[in-house]
Amino acid sequence: MIKLKQIILMLCLVLSGALCYANGEARTGNENDGHNVPIELKESTGASSLDKSSAINPFINGHVLAVVFSENLGQVSVELATAAGASVQCLSVFTPNGLQVYIPNTGNYVVTITLSNGDVYAGEFAVMD
């Protein structure tokens, strides 16, 4: 009788775990935990005919925005704003260095990168819990 009771309890334990996993309740954090999610630079304006978007690599990992510059673009201005247009942070950095910005609040954001020659690149992204 005790053996049957143990088997039934073990079966309940295994089935409850399987049902939680199937229902999606067994998550422990963000779906992109530990993974960089690239931000596509959608808007590009400027007088220069050279497209430098391939040298600008922004990505989001949880609440951290990182922008990596793979070539020397001179001094660039990076502005982080909410999707509604409220400025969160403005930075000026010399390339080919990169930068990291911690974003404490969830929501939709826009990163705008302005090169020293006036070219502007922008991309939208979301920060989720």
Side-chain angles (χ1 to χ4, degrees), residues 1 13 16 28 31 37-39 56 58 60 76 87 106 120 125:
M1 185 69 172
L13 177 68
S16 66
T28 59
E31 290 183 25
V37 179
I39 300 168
I56 304 169
I60 189 79
V76 298
S87 182
T106 59
V120 177
F125 63 97

Side-chain angles (χ1 to χ4, degrees), residues 62-63 82 88 102-109 125-129:
H63 284 262
T82 63
V88 175
Y102 179 75
I103 306 167
N105 299 324
T106 59
N108 295 321
Y109 292 89
F125 63 97
V127 175
M128 298 181 222
D129 252 347

Side-chain angles (χ1 to χ4, degrees), residues 60 63-67 78 80 88-89 91 99-103:
I60 189 79
H63 284 262
V64 177
L65 169 69
V67 182
V78 179
L80 178 63
V88 175
Q89 191 163 13
L91 300 164
L99 64 99
Q100 290 185 346
V101 178
Y102 179 75
I103 306 167

Side-chain angles (χ1 to χ4, degrees), residues 16-40:
S16 66
L19 290 174
C20 285
Y21 183 76
N23 194 30
E25 299 295 328
R27 286 177 281 202
T28 59
N30 291 344
E31 290 183 25
N32 65 344
D33 276 350
H35 302 290
N36 297 328
V37 179
I39 300 168
E40 183 181 344

